[in-house]
Amino acid sequence: MSLIVQKFGGTSVADAQRLENVARRVIEAYDDGNDVVVVVSAQGDTTDDLIEKAREVNSKPSKREMDVLLSAGEQISMSLLAMTIEKLGRPVISLTGWQAGMATDGTYGAARMKRVLTERMEAEIDKKRIVIVAGFQGINAVGDITTLGRGGSDTSAVAIAAALGAELCQIFTDVTGVFTADPRIVKDAVKLDDISYDEMLELASLGANVLHNRSVEMAKKYNVNMEVLSSMEKVPGTIVKEENSVEKMLVRGVTRDNNVARISLVNVKDEPGKAFQVFSLLAKKKINVDVILQSVGRDDMKDISFTVTEDNLQSALDTLNENNAAIGASEIRHTENISKVSIVGAGMQSNPGVASLMFEALYDAGINIQMISTSEIKISVLIEEKDAEKAVVAIHDKFHLSNV
Amino acid sequence: MSLIVQKFGGTSVADAQRLENVARRVIEAYDDGNDVVVVVSAQGDTTDDLIEKAREVNSKPSKREMDVLLSAGEQISMSLLAMTIEKLGRPVISLTGWQAGMATDGTYGAARMKRVLTERMEAEIDKKRIVIVAGFQGINAVGDITTLGRGGSDTSAVAIAAALGAELCQIFTDVTGVFTADPRIVKDAVKLDDISYDEMLELASLGANVLHNRSVEMAKKYNVNMEVLSSMEKVPGTIVKEENSVEKMLVRGVTRDNNVARISLVNVKDEPGKAFQVFSLLAKKKINVDVILQSVGRDDMKDISFTVTEDNLQSALDTLNENNAAIGASEIRHTENISKVSIVGAGMQSNPGVASLMFEALYDAGINIQMISTSEIKISVLIEEKDAEKAVVAIHDKFHLSNV
């Protein structure tokens, strides 16, 4: 008998009918003789509704009170799922983040898991109860409610799986697994049976929108086997685990990310410490910078270009403009008409020529590359947003990914 | 400087505009130099909406999970009120039942307060913060969320006032205080400046719908001064306290309660233990019996009539019918076309003739009395429901209650 952690997102628990679907999936695992811990997000639009309620009373509420407010969302969905399972005649109990021992640091709105105090969950599992836990939320050292920020419920599920030593952490989504490319763009995209943590991390950060990075990082750290699978269709998903299959595929998938904006600082002085000055300013504002390109200095001047996510663009521009007296750029340009297209695969580490094959695919398709960024297991290019889908199809085709 | 506890019901915090009204009332007390603890119910229809959500998934959910679900309601309203007060620039923090130390017994759905662990509230008060506490909810010994049942938020407020030694516990409602009769029925009904705990208890249980009995009982036990006042109009309310004013009024108020049904057991054997048999059956089903009338035995047979609330009628009839083999009534009759009209006043203890004055008023109005019940400070009569309003007016007039 093994322990399985299952996580269901807000869409999966949005109404009574969907709750019953979820309950049946949970009961199936339970009736197979497994101990089951279920992590749920807030129902469908609950979080948006609560944010709107907050906005009506205060345009800048404290993060502490927002966490109190938003955590009510999972409290509602978890009790409704428990009631649904009660109706279907299985023993069940729901636990909030604090009841389940989800101890976090003190950062409201984006807390990090510190540890899971498993006593209560283990006691309920010993009683043969299905345990429903509120995702996304925890409790800090002073006894206040915290939330884990974006992708928080995935992180909750992995943290619980790690703490309880679960065999498997199943993340139920609206897709049947991880594909070689977005099936909406590439018709013959193929579902992968398994993928390594590192490949998944690159895919997640590159806009594959399946799993949040934090959860994959945690799964890698504690060696938790994850499965990404559909909450609607009963078909095997994609397993995310330590080792890739013996025969390493060159390239595992192609992704596109449109949530990219480029900022260019034109004509800054070509002197030591300039990049540090710029990027430390942005780091202080918690703005992550992705691809960076620095032109070769000429006449003591150079250009620095880099990308940020579109939601960080305004804040980044504000920061740079406020500090341009010190930075000394003659102009600060930006564009949002840009996409990042990437290929990911642990196999490419030992295979030279992968990059040139990718560039060839783009050249054949007549697509101009603006910036390039590489790591051991991925290659990203920045191109015009209008060319992005064409690029994904061309690359997917070039690497024969539909024949894996 | 003194400590004031203020309680606002669901209607008072129903939307952003009302939340701001409440916030301003709270801030007024705070800016006057008081420490302020605010107890809130769930917003407007939230509780009904949550009950409906539960009903959609399970017609008989466990009480434990219902408590988890419903307690989310106050968590939402308390954080929204805190955000509103933040916007108005005063230091504030919201606390759930478990954070505020509201320790209850283990009865889900109708828990009783055991104690208030005041450490966290006192620490926040010491920081000069306005403290918002979720009413209606607590935590039991195993760390589960409980709710206090009907009138629970009033009880929360009084329990906190008692534990913190507050000067005053203000219960904000949609009326400006306690009146000599329902102003919708009796045009010249008068607001009372003060009333004793005992009188308030009788009025509350008699359908005055102002305060829930449990809160008044607790206020009496711990000698907490309560004030019933309007959340909309800024006028003094009615103080509920230990001692009545020196000059005791004969009668303090007239009430009417339509939530009454009468059951008659016709022709039961006139033998010892018969009443005990009947009422212990109902007690086991948690059905409270109010006015009881037993006919004088004749031919070894008697009739037993009594009242229950209308919502308990069906359950009472079911219980009696199931057990009628043992009870042996020839017939079990019932009616809901009945009202209880009562007068209340500590002064009547030492004033004979009050009852006859009341009966005279009813006789003058041509109203027939079906049953009578008396205590030291109240007299109730059961009459036909259609006569109830006329009866209240006639009695109010007879006792000159508009000239207090």
Side-chain angles (χ1 to χ4, degrees):
Chain A
M1 202 187 57
S2 48
L3 174 65
I4 297 178
V5 175
Q6 300 186 319
K7 180 260 170 177
F8 295 91
T11 316
S12 302
V13 295
D15 56 37
Q17 182 56 52
R18 288 167 192 230
L19 280 165
E20 186 157 332
N21 288 341
V22 168
R24 292 190 185 282
R25 291 300 284 262
V26 171
I27 285 172
E28 203 175 308
Y30 178 81
D31 287 352
D32 280 349
N34 299 296
D35 294 326
V36 186
V37 177
V38 184
V39 175
V40 290
S41 305
Q43 289 188 295
D45 299 330
T46 303
T47 304
D48 289 341
D49 290 349
L50 292 175
I51 289 172
E52 172 59 21
K53 270 178 183 281
R55 203 199 52 75
E56 282 171 12
V57 299
N58 188 339
S59 57
K60 284 191 180 168
S62 68
K63 288 184 176 173
R64 181 196 183 273
E65 297 298 338
M66 274 307 285
D67 281 358
V68 174
L69 180 69
L70 294 182
S71 62
E74 293 90 40
Q75 198 167 320
I76 292 170
S77 60
M78 77 185 203
S79 54
L80 291 174
L81 179 57
M83 291 173 192
T84 311
I85 292 174
E86 282 174 356
K87 188 186 62 176
L88 297 172
R90 304 301 187 285
V92 62
I93 191 163
S94 74
L95 300 174
T96 61
W98 56 270
Q99 289 175 322
M102 308 296 283
T104 74
D105 68 8
T107 319
Y108 300 109
R112 299 195 74 83
M113 287 299 306
K114 287 185 75 173
R115 67 183 68 81
V116 182
L117 309 162
T118 55
E119 204 175 306
R120 178 78 195 261
M121 278 194 283
E122 280 171 348
E124 301 298 346
I125 291 167
D126 285 347
K127 291 178 192 158
K128 290 288 148 212
R129 287 178 174 157
I130 296 167
V131 180
I132 317 287
V133 178
F136 182 67
Q137 59 180 251
I139 183 171
N140 66 16
V142 298
D144 278 355
I145 295 169
T146 52
T147 68
L148 306 184
R150 275 188 69 194
S153 292
D154 288 356
T155 306
S156 303
V158 174
I160 289 170
L164 295 175
E167 307 296 305
L168 186 60
C169 179
Q170 296 184 309
I171 308 289
F172 289 84
T173 67
D174 52 359
V175 294
T176 55
V178 180
F179 282 73
T180 52
D182 186 338
R184 287 167 301 188
I185 297 175
V186 179
K187 250 189 162 171
D188 53 359
V190 174
K191 186 173 69 187
L192 299 167
D193 292 335
D194 52 43
I195 190 167
S196 73
Y197 296 125
D198 286 335
E199 289 170 334
M200 192 66 228
L201 279 170
E202 293 289 2
L203 285 170
S205 65
L206 295 174
N209 280 328
V210 178
L211 289 177
H212 201 267
N213 256 5
R214 285 170 64 193
S215 63
V216 183
E217 278 164 13
M218 191 181 283
K220 181 184 176 185
K221 185 170 174 188
Y222 296 103
N223 206 9
V224 173
N225 287 329
M226 297 176 86
E227 183 182 7
V228 178
L229 70 176
S230 166
S231 59
M232 307 308 280
E233 287 179 64
K234 279 194 201 166
V235 290
T238 299
I239 300 280
V240 188
K241 56 181 187 174
E242 185 51 62
E243 279 299 293
N244 203 337
S245 46
V246 183
E247 229 179 322
K248 280 182 181 172
M249 276 174 59
L250 203 59
V251 171
R252 303 284 287 176
V254 190
T255 67
R256 173 201 58 169
D257 186 1
N258 286 341
N259 183 19
V260 181
R262 192 189 63 211
I263 296 176
S264 298
L265 303 173
V266 179
N267 272 333
V268 295
K269 218 169 195 171
D270 186 12
E271 62 189 10
K274 186 52 76 180
F276 169 74
Q277 181 190 30
V278 170
F279 297 120
S280 66
L281 276 170
L282 297 172
K284 265 186 218 154
K285 295 282 179 182
K286 308 262 184 208
I287 297 169
N288 278 322
V289 169
D290 189 23
V291 186
I292 300 173
L293 185 136
Q294 189 173 297
S295 69
V296 178
R298 194 184 46 190
D299 301 337
D300 265 2
M301 299 306 250
K302 64 184 174 186
D303 300 341
I304 299 176
S305 295
F306 55 89
T307 61
V308 296
T309 58
E310 288 183 351
D311 37 320
N312 277 332
L313 175 62
Q314 195 53 54
S315 165
L317 289 174
D318 291 348
T319 304
L320 295 169
N321 282 315
E322 279 163 25
N323 293 282
N324 198 30
I327 298 167
S330 68
E331 194 184 343
I332 299 175
R333 288 189 201 144
H334 69 275
T335 175
E336 292 180 67
N337 290 326
I338 203 167
S339 278
K340 184 167 64 172
V341 171
S342 310
I343 56 175
V344 171
M348 67 174 73
Q349 289 180 61
S350 46
N351 280 278
V354 171
S356 67
L357 204 59
M358 181 186 189
F359 300 157
E360 183 183 340
L362 295 170
Y363 172 76
D364 290 346
I367 296 167
N368 187 40
I369 299 171
Q370 301 187 4
M371 289 163 81
I372 299 170
S373 155
T374 62
S375 80
E376 289 188 334
I377 65 165
K378 74 141 202 225
I379 302 170
S380 299
V381 297
L382 289 174
I383 57 177
E384 275 196 71
E385 193 168 320
K386 70 172 174 52
D387 293 330
E389 298 199 359
K390 194 167 60 166
V392 170
V393 172
I395 295 166
H396 195 268
D397 203 42
K398 180 66 91 183
F399 285 94
H400 307 293
L401 292 180
S402 44
N403 306 322
V404 292
Chain B
M1 205 187 53
S2 47
L3 173 66
I4 296 179
V5 175
Q6 300 187 319
K7 180 257 168 180
F8 294 90
T11 317
S12 303
V13 295
D15 56 37
Q17 182 55 53
R18 287 170 195 228
L19 279 164
E20 185 157 335
N21 288 340
V22 167
R24 292 189 185 283
R25 291 301 283 262
V26 171
I27 286 172
E28 202 175 310
Y30 178 81
D31 287 351
D32 280 350
N34 299 294
D35 293 327
V36 186
V37 176
V38 184
V39 175
V40 289
S41 304
Q43 287 188 297
D45 299 329
T46 303
T47 303
D48 289 342
D49 290 348
L50 291 175
I51 289 172
E52 172 60 20
K53 269 177 183 280
R55 201 198 54 73
E56 283 171 11
V57 298
N58 188 339
S59 56
K60 282 192 180 167
S62 68
K63 288 185 176 170
R64 182 197 183 273
E65 297 298 337
M66 275 306 286
D67 282 0
V68 175
L69 180 68
L70 295 182
S71 62
E74 294 88 40
Q75 198 168 318
I76 293 170
S77 60
M78 77 184 204
S79 53
L80 291 174
L81 179 57
M83 291 173 193
T84 312
I85 291 173
E86 282 174 356
K87 187 186 62 177
L88 298 171
R90 303 303 188 283
V92 62
I93 190 163
S94 73
L95 299 175
T96 61
W98 55 271
Q99 288 175 323
M102 307 297 282
T104 74
D105 68 8
T107 319
Y108 301 109
R112 298 195 74 84
M113 286 300 306
K114 288 184 76 173
R115 68 184 68 82
V116 182
L117 309 162
T118 55
E119 203 175 307
R120 177 82 195 258
M121 278 193 285
E122 281 170 350
E124 302 298 346
I125 291 167
D126 285 348
K127 291 178 194 159
K128 290 288 148 213
R129 288 177 174 158
I130 295 169
V131 180
I132 317 286
V133 178
F136 182 68
Q137 60 181 247
I139 183 171
N140 67 17
V142 298
D144 279 355
I145 296 171
T146 52
T147 68
L148 306 182
R150 275 190 66 194
S153 292
D154 288 357
T155 307
S156 302
V158 174
I160 290 170
L164 294 175
E167 309 295 305
L168 185 60
C169 178
Q170 295 184 309
I171 309 289
F172 288 83
T173 68
D174 52 359
V175 294
T176 54
V178 181
F179 282 74
T180 53
D182 185 338
R184 287 166 300 187
I185 299 175
V186 180
K187 251 192 161 166
D188 53 359
V190 174
K191 185 172 70 187
L192 299 166
D193 292 336
D194 53 44
I195 190 168
S196 74
Y197 296 124
D198 287 334
E199 289 170 335
M200 193 64 228
L201 279 171
E202 293 289 1
L203 285 170
S205 64
L206 295 172
N209 281 329
V210 179
L211 288 178
H212 201 267
N213 256 3
R214 285 170 65 194
S215 63
V216 183
E217 278 162 14
M218 191 181 284
K220 182 184 174 185
K221 186 171 172 188
Y222 295 102
N223 207 10
V224 173
N225 289 328
M226 298 175 87
E227 182 180 9
V228 177
L229 70 174
S230 166
S231 60
M232 306 307 282
E233 288 177 64
K234 279 194 202 169
V235 291
T238 299
I239 300 279
V240 189
K241 55 180 189 175
E242 186 51 64
E243 279 299 293
N244 204 334
S245 45
V246 182
E247 228 179 321
K248 280 183 181 170
M249 276 172 59
L250 203 55
V251 171
R252 301 284 286 175
V254 189
T255 67
R256 171 201 61 164
D257 185 0
N258 287 342
N259 182 19
V260 181
R262 191 189 63 211
I263 296 175
S264 298
L265 303 172
V266 180
N267 274 332
V268 296
K269 215 164 196 177
D270 187 12
E271 62 190 12
K274 187 52 76 180
F276 168 73
Q277 182 189 29
V278 170
F279 297 119
S280 66
L281 276 171
L282 297 172
K284 265 184 219 154
K285 297 281 178 180
K286 308 264 182 206
I287 298 169
N288 278 323
V289 169
D290 188 25
V291 185
I292 300 172
L293 183 137
Q294 188 172 298
S295 71
V296 178
R298 193 183 47 186
D299 302 335
D300 265 0
M301 299 305 249
K302 65 184 174 187
D303 301 341
I304 300 177
S305 296
F306 55 90
T307 60
V308 296
T309 57
E310 289 182 350
D311 38 318
N312 277 332
L313 176 61
Q314 196 53 52
S315 165
L317 289 173
D318 292 347
T319 303
L320 295 169
N321 282 315
E322 279 163 27
N323 293 282
N324 198 30
I327 299 168
S330 68
E331 195 185 344
I332 299 175
R333 287 187 204 149
H334 69 273
T335 177
E336 293 181 65
N337 291 324
I338 204 168
S339 279
K340 185 167 66 171
V341 171
S342 310
I343 55 175
V344 171
M348 69 175 70
Q349 291 180 65
S350 48
N351 279 276
V354 172
S356 68
L357 203 60
M358 180 186 191
F359 300 156
E360 185 183 338
L362 294 169
Y363 173 76
D364 290 346
I367 296 166
N368 188 40
I369 299 171
Q370 301 186 5
M371 289 163 81
I372 298 168
S373 159
T374 61
S375 79
E376 289 188 335
I377 65 165
K378 75 140 201 225
I379 301 169
S380 299
V381 296
L382 289 173
I383 59 176
E384 278 195 69
E385 194 168 319
K386 68 171 174 56
D387 293 331
E389 298 199 0
K390 193 167 65 169
V392 170
V393 173
I395 295 165
H396 196 268
D397 203 44
K398 180 66 90 181
F399 285 94
H400 307 292
L401 292 181
S402 43
N403 307 322
V404 292

